[in-house]
Amino acid sequence: MINLAKIDGNFYRKDIISLSQFNLSDLYSLFAKVDDMRKIAQNAKPSDILAGKIVVLLFFEPSSRTMGSFDAAVKQLGGQTIAMANPQEFSSVVKGESFTDTIKVFEAYSDAIVIRHPEKGKAQEAAKIAGSIPVINAGDGIGEHPTQALLDLFTIWDKNKRLNKITGLIAGDIKNGRTVHSLLRGLSLFKNNLIYLLAPETLKLDGQEKARLQKTGIKLKEIERVEDIPKNCDFWYWTRVQKERFKSESEYQKVNNKFIVDKKLLNKYGNKNLILMHPLPRVGEIKEEVDSDSRAVYLTSEVRNGMYVRMALLDLVLNAK
Ligand code: NCD
């Protein structure tokens, strides 16, 4: 269990590594700010909220959305970015530079580092190395992806105006999906939530994490067949099987795309009011024919909310209130 500084009402200069740092009122103050950010993003006038700030985006693992979303968020607020995709291929890391040195160097250039890394725990390690500036975890291996969960929570909240008494379905790779791990931690802060977890046997939630979450009061129900999806879900959260976490292609193929959302499945097992979410990228687990359904938000509001939530978080972390 990682021991990280709780936000506890004060985001300023804190590292954002795990959803476990947040309490209810932290989430609500972030959400309140998201509304302001939505207005700023929709306004033609430039904002200077992050003027003079430089944010480094260090992505040791492929990303288009998260990196683009952070980049856009900084720029929407008048700040600047140094974006390094795959530094292990394109930077001094190729010459043998250590992780510590890379982080130290970028710490010296910038006001914050956003990091993605294939290894669990690496964002926290970066935070320890870069002691003078905040570090934001943009995905650490199969660990967590807090900003994705914040935008997912916001998306559910925006639709329902509540995050308690929620019935939801999370499907796909529950074992390896870091966005799922962070989302479950977020949902477990609220009362009376019931989450169905639809996954093949080998991709179920880690037993220890399941027990830890259940202690908070969240109800988790594991299912293995689409026939067991309850009709009263407020959201469906579909995920891809995390190919890069498998030892071989054949191991991956054994479990890939067991559950695919098409129009028929959505209409048969989903109700009229749910929202269908996905952190993206999707690789076949939601059919394109579903995109035009008004319940599908993964290419529309969920993505936009990603930028607004990151704008809000950056403002809270980088500016004293
Ligand atoms: C997710 C990730 O990287 O964990 N993508 C994202 O950031 N939106 C989900 C995934 O890769 O499946």
Side-chain angles (χ1 to χ4, degrees):
M1 176 66 187
I2 40 179
N3 194 11
L4 293 159
K6 300 272 186 230
I7 309 289
D8 224 357
N10 181 15
F11 288 75
Y12 185 52
R13 300 189 70 82
K14 297 253 168 79
D15 301 309
I16 307 294
I17 308 296
S18 165
L19 242 288
S20 63
Q21 293 171 264
F22 289 75
N23 63 28
L24 280 192
S25 76
D26 298 332
L27 288 178
Y28 288 129
S29 42
L30 180 77
F31 291 173
K33 191 139 284 296
V34 175
D35 281 332
D36 302 341
M37 294 300 161
R38 186 160 27 199
K39 284 178 205 126
I40 289 175
Q42 285 164 358
N43 192 332
K45 269 207 289 177
S47 157
D48 61 359
I49 285 177
L50 291 183
K53 307 272 191 224
I54 294 180
V55 177
V56 170
L57 311 175
L58 265 184
F59 278 64
F60 290 84
E61 210 184 39
S63 165
S64 44
R65 202 156 349 263
T66 305
M67 186 155 157
S69 168
F70 267 110
D71 208 339
V74 174
K75 287 170 179 162
Q76 282 281 1
L77 296 178
Q80 301 198 55
T81 56
I82 303 174
M84 301 282 296
N86 299 324
Q88 67 278 29
E89 283 172 41
F90 298 111
S91 76
S92 293
V93 176
V94 184
K95 301 180 190 166
E97 184 175 67
S98 71
F99 182 72
T100 304
D101 286 8
T102 305
I103 301 297
K104 278 271 167 218
V105 167
F106 285 104
E107 177 186 12
Y109 296 154
S110 65
D111 297 284
I113 293 176
V114 177
I115 184 168
R116 168 170 289 190
H117 199 283
E119 244 179 83
K120 185 175 172 178
K122 236 26 194 185
Q124 197 183 6
E125 193 182 321
K128 280 203 195 106
I129 298 164
S132 70
I133 57 167
V135 169
I136 300 178
N137 182 5
D140 62 320
I142 66 162
E144 281 206 54
H145 193 345
T147 61
Q148 178 70 42
L150 293 171
L151 78 90
D152 292 331
L153 290 166
F154 179 79
T155 303
I156 299 167
W157 185 82
D158 204 31
K159 169 80 199 307
N160 297 285
K161 297 296 173 239
R162 59 168 216 282
L163 275 166
N164 60 341
K165 293 194 197 146
I166 293 283
T167 301
L169 169 72
I170 300 182
D173 192 346
I174 317 272
K175 177 180 176 219
N176 298 306
R178 56 194 173 200
T179 68
V180 172
H181 303 157
S182 291
L183 180 58
L184 283 171
R185 286 186 174 200
L187 288 167
S188 73
L189 291 172
F190 299 85
K191 295 242 178 327
N192 299 316
N193 285 336
L194 167 60
I195 310 299
Y196 286 77
L197 303 172
L198 172 65
E201 179 62 36
T202 53
L203 299 183
K204 286 190 169 164
L205 185 65
D206 167 75
Q208 260 186 347
E209 180 64 3
K210 187 176 157 196
R212 212 193 65 78
L213 286 164
Q214 278 169 329
K215 268 196 208 142
T216 67
I218 189 171
K219 289 204 176 63
L220 301 174
K221 204 163 172 196
E222 293 181 307
I223 56 174
E224 282 174 41
R225 305 174 328 140
V226 290
E227 290 79 9
D228 297 329
I229 299 174
K231 201 73 188 174
N232 62 338
C233 284
D234 298 300
F235 73 86
W236 284 9
Y237 188 86
W238 231 262
T239 66
R240 100 189 142 91
V241 174
Q242 306 278 300
K243 186 177 186 180
E244 63 275 36
R245 313 292 174 216
F246 285 77
K247 286 196 194 80
S248 67
E249 173 76 23
S250 65
E251 288 297 304
Y252 165 68
Q253 288 304 346
K254 269 188 218 158
V255 283
N256 190 31
N257 282 345
K258 281 261 181 287
F259 309 113
I260 296 177
V261 185
D262 56 13
K263 271 189 180 168
K264 211 171 131 207
L265 185 115
L266 182 58
N267 289 331
K268 185 158 180 202
Y269 298 105
N271 63 58
K272 290 260 172 303
N273 289 319
L274 63 76
I275 47 173
L276 174 57
M277 302 164 73
H278 191 302
L280 304 178
R282 72 170 148 175
V283 287
E285 60 281 344
I286 299 181
K287 286 266 191 335
E288 282 173 16
E289 64 179 32
V290 176
D291 298 359
S292 57
D293 192 294
S294 61
R295 291 168 285 184
V297 298
Y298 43 85
L299 291 173
T300 53
S301 55
E302 194 180 356
V303 181
R304 285 195 297 272
N305 289 342
M307 183 176 76
Y308 307 148
V309 164
R310 291 180 175 114
M311 289 165 75
L313 189 67
L314 286 162
D315 178 25
L316 288 166
V317 167
L318 287 174
N319 290 316
K321 299 290 163 218

